[in-house]
Amino acid sequence: MPHAQKPTVQHIRDALENAIVDGKFLPGERLDPEALAMRFGCSRTPIREALQALEGSGLVSVRAKRGTFVTKLGVPELAERFEVMAELEAMCARLAARRASPPEIETIRAAQAACMRAVTTGDSDAYYYENTAFHHAIYAASRNAFLEAEALRLQAMLQPYRRRQLQSRGRMKRSLEEHQTIVDLIAAGEADAAAAEMRNHVVIQGDRFHDLVASIRMADA
Amino acid sequence: MPHAQKPTVQHIRDALENAIVDGKFLPGERLDPEALAMRFGCSRTPIREALQALEGSGLVSVRAKRGTFVTKLGVPELAERFEVMAELEAMCARLAARRASPPEIETIRAAQAACMRAVTTGDSDAYYYENTAFHHAIYAASRNAFLEAEALRLQAMLQPYRRRQLQSRGRMKRSLEEHQTIVDLIAAGEADAAAAEMRNHVVIQGDRFHDLVASIRMADA
DNA sequence: ATATCACATGTTGTATACATCAAAACTTGA
DNA sequence: TCAAGTTTTGATGTATACAACATGTGATAT
């Protein structure tokens, strides 16, 4: 990931986004433009532009004359974003139920099968990866490219906080069952039910909310 | 609007956004960085950064080595965005019905009253302005700042296409009635009904869709 | 001892010069 | 006359130098 042959702004942006989403930079951490310029073998200018693009998608916050930092969301900000995310994903599921082509449904089922394998082997990293693939497949099946892009953007924004959340075996198994219900409803064309199920799957409430708050308090220390 | 005392990037961004949304630059039109630098009394650098920020919010498209242009959306892209917009606004209405404080409801009612005055005087420009104020008031009443920001962003993106759409007296009156229904449902706390009504108010379908397509075809000429 | 002010420092924001590349214009050959 | 290759042109993308400003540090006065 350090530096490719021609590190264009787009490449830098993607590399930094992946690094942040994958947790290689932690929320609140400062991103030093000069160090990054060194790493990517270019000047500060493309780095600066990449960072500003990331600010636009909400992943970093540029504080004037003070530095750019990985966005660190507090509990209220996170709650707001999860609320919107639940609605966007519900919309994806609703549209997918109405519009998904057989190959798209097959892709979703394949992702679900991969999740299942990860659960049986107990590989939580693999589950994490396949889980996002599952959701992305549903975004795509909505056949609304703009909606898909918005969902991807918001998902990237929330990913750093979801990462360590709920590595408990119980949650993985529960999540898998919810996935199955969602797939079946989409395949059956039950748009409203699929949307409702997805909303419940994504929204953070009850114990999961308190788990999230606890993990944030821990990260702050 | 030309140039203020200290044209910081944020100011330039806002000025350009307003100019685009207000139709002073038409979709597809090229934005010349040097000319803008002259107008704002600065170098190309801040202009460039402002344009990139606008690209992030979808208002302009930067085509590498070819220039930056006001985003010109085709019919399919517009349909996708209106579909998402309808859902976001429906969500705003739902949350507003559940959470709006009395002063917030009063603000919405005031905006609606202003719309009504515009209809009686037949001032379609004023109606246009007050109509956006009405919608913005509902975004704010959702008490979800992130949702509000997303709705504002998408609304700015669609504004250039809504502008000349439906200046017919019939549509204005119909729109006003729908507004009234929405306000009443929000005030009554009827969350689901308010959401459904708002979705229908925003979504483009039937004759309105064909009107939109026609206006785009006309603008292309 | 403490609070305030001035200054030093390091960072980002802006200007400008240069490199790079896409499209158009021109030349040359058939 | 037309087509293909080449050159030219004009724009954007990048590098670097400089300016502006927020923060931290130290001195001084109370």
Side-chain angles (χ1 to χ4, degrees):
Chain A
M1 191 268 294
H3 57 262
Q5 299 285 3
K6 267 194 92 58
T8 175
V9 169
Q10 188 62 30
H11 294 163
I12 297 172
R13 205 202 85 96
D14 290 346
L16 288 178
E17 171 168 337
N18 287 334
I20 293 172
V21 168
D22 290 355
K24 302 194 176 176
F25 296 109
L26 279 67
E29 190 172 344
R30 172 160 176 270
L31 299 171
D32 183 13
E34 291 194 52
L36 293 172
M38 208 78 98
R39 283 252 313 275
F40 285 99
C42 65
S43 81
R44 267 177 44 205
T45 306
I47 301 292
R48 180 179 171 80
E49 298 197 347
L51 288 176
Q52 290 191 342
L54 288 177
E55 187 191 26
S57 62
L59 281 174
V60 309
S61 314
V62 179
R63 283 184 288 181
K65 306 269 189 185
R66 305 199 14 181
T68 71
F69 303 82
V70 178
T71 298
K72 187 175 187 175
L73 297 172
V75 174
E77 289 86 7
L78 271 175
E80 287 183 345
R81 283 159 178 76
F82 272 107
E83 191 168 60
V84 175
M85 184 86 216
E87 204 63 33
L88 281 185
E89 294 224 28
M91 183 178 178
C92 287
R94 176 184 297 117
L95 294 181
R98 292 212 298 250
R99 303 174 180 169
S101 68
E104 282 167 338
I105 289 182
E106 198 41 51
T107 302
I108 297 171
R109 285 202 192 281
Q112 164 69 348
C115 285
M116 215 177 297
R117 281 193 297 277
V119 168
T120 58
T121 60
D123 185 342
S124 71
D125 278 345
Y127 182 78
Y128 182 77
Y129 177 81
E130 300 296 348
N131 176 60
T132 73
F134 174 82
H135 284 269
H136 289 187
I138 293 178
Y139 303 163
S142 76
R143 293 194 164 272
N144 181 323
F146 180 75
L147 174 61
E148 180 184 6
E150 290 295 294
L152 285 172
R153 189 171 63 88
L154 190 45
Q155 207 246 5
M157 218 165 146
L158 295 176
Q159 201 83 322
Y161 300 89
R162 272 185 164 130
R163 176 154 278 286
R164 43 182 147 261
Q165 184 194 3
L166 315 160
Q167 294 187 345
S168 66
R169 191 174 184 79
R171 176 62 198 152
M172 260 168 58
K173 198 149 173 274
R174 174 82 179 282
S175 172
L176 195 71
E177 293 166 5
E178 292 173 358
H179 279 193
Q180 191 60 51
T181 307
I182 292 167
V183 178
D184 292 340
L185 287 171
I186 289 175
E190 302 271 0
D192 288 338
E197 197 66 26
M198 180 61 98
R199 189 181 293 116
N200 255 301
H201 175 65
V202 173
V203 83
I204 303 279
Q205 56 189 1
D207 291 342
R208 289 173 60 200
F209 179 74
H210 293 110
D211 290 349
L212 179 64
V213 173
S215 81
I216 290 172
R217 298 237 180 284
M218 196 154 73
D220 282 346
Chain B
M1 192 267 293
H3 57 261
Q5 299 287 1
K6 267 195 91 61
T8 174
V9 169
Q10 187 63 29
H11 294 163
I12 296 171
R13 205 202 86 95
D14 290 346
L16 289 178
E17 171 168 337
N18 288 333
I20 293 172
V21 168
D22 289 355
K24 303 196 175 175
F25 296 109
L26 277 67
E29 189 172 344
R30 173 159 175 272
L31 299 171
D32 182 13
E34 292 195 54
L36 293 172
M38 208 76 97
R39 282 255 313 275
F40 286 99
C42 66
S43 81
R44 270 178 43 210
T45 307
I47 300 292
R48 180 180 171 81
E49 299 197 347
L51 288 176
Q52 291 191 343
L54 287 177
E55 187 191 26
S57 61
L59 281 174
V60 309
S61 313
V62 179
R63 283 185 288 182
K65 303 267 189 190
R66 302 187 45 186
T68 71
F69 303 82
V70 178
T71 298
K72 187 177 186 172
L73 297 172
V75 174
E77 290 86 6
L78 271 176
E80 288 183 343
R81 282 158 178 77
F82 272 108
E83 192 168 58
V84 175
M85 186 83 215
E87 203 63 34
L88 281 186
E89 294 225 28
M91 185 179 176
C92 287
R94 179 184 295 115
L95 295 181
R98 292 212 298 250
R99 303 174 180 168
S101 65
E104 282 167 340
I105 290 183
E106 197 41 49
T107 302
I108 298 171
R109 285 202 192 280
Q112 164 68 350
C115 286
M116 213 176 300
R117 280 193 296 275
V119 168
T120 58
T121 61
D123 184 342
S124 72
D125 278 344
Y127 182 78
Y128 183 76
Y129 177 80
E130 300 297 347
N131 175 61
T132 72
F134 174 82
H135 284 269
H136 289 188
I138 294 179
Y139 305 163
S142 76
R143 294 193 164 270
N144 181 324
F146 179 75
L147 174 61
E148 180 184 5
E150 291 294 296
L152 284 172
R153 189 171 62 89
L154 190 45
Q155 207 247 6
M157 217 163 145
L158 295 176
Q159 201 83 322
Y161 300 90
R162 274 183 163 134
R163 176 155 277 285
R164 43 182 146 261
Q165 185 193 2
L166 314 161
Q167 294 187 345
S168 66
R169 189 171 184 80
R171 177 60 199 154
M172 258 168 57
K173 197 147 172 278
R174 173 83 179 281
S175 173
L176 195 72
E177 292 166 5
E178 292 173 358
H179 279 193
Q180 192 58 53
T181 307
I182 292 167
V183 178
D184 291 341
L185 287 171
I186 288 176
E190 302 271 359
D192 288 336
E197 197 67 25
M198 179 63 98
R199 189 182 294 115
N200 254 301
H201 175 63
V202 173
V203 84
I204 305 278
Q205 58 189 358
D207 291 341
R208 290 173 58 199
F209 179 74
H210 293 111
D211 289 347
L212 180 64
V213 172
S215 80
I216 290 172
R217 297 238 182 283
M218 194 156 74
D220 283 347

